[in-house]
Amino acid sequence: MGGPRHADVAALHHDHDARAPLGALRGAGISQGAGKLVNVAMPFAVTWLLANLQPSVIYFAIVGIALVAAIVVIAVGPETRAKRLG
């Protein structure tokens, strides 16, 4: 039986592009990690907001998060993968 086949190992690393320079996927990993952290923390934050503040605060918090995301996209710029920059 032996170890894992090459196709199995390749399937585990489907995000990695072998042509990408070393460290090119670092930003993707940071954003995915931050997204997972927020997904875990959000139910606790919403529960705390509902227990301690008015329910309308949740709507204002969602608007605030959306505005921060929009500012980040405006500041950093759009995705440029596979696009010519010049």
Side-chain angles (χ1 to χ4, degrees):
M1 301 287 161
R5 296 183 326 228
H6 178 70
D8 295 335
V9 174
L12 291 174
H13 299 288
H14 60 57
D15 309 5
H16 180 68
D17 183 1
R19 298 167 301 190
L22 187 61
L25 300 176
R26 187 176 329 167
I30 291 171
S31 64
Q32 289 172 359
K36 289 178 183 184
L37 181 65
V38 169
N39 280 335
V40 170
M42 192 56 66
F44 296 104
V46 170
T47 302
W48 183 86
L49 287 171
L50 285 172
N52 295 303
L53 302 171
Q54 296 294 322
S56 62
V57 172
I58 294 173
Y59 296 112
F60 291 118
I62 291 171
V63 168
I65 291 169
L67 288 173
V68 168
I71 291 168
V72 168
V73 169
I74 290 169
V76 174
E79 175 65 43
T80 59
R81 176 179 271 185
K83 292 182 183 175
R84 195 162 184 179
L85 297 177

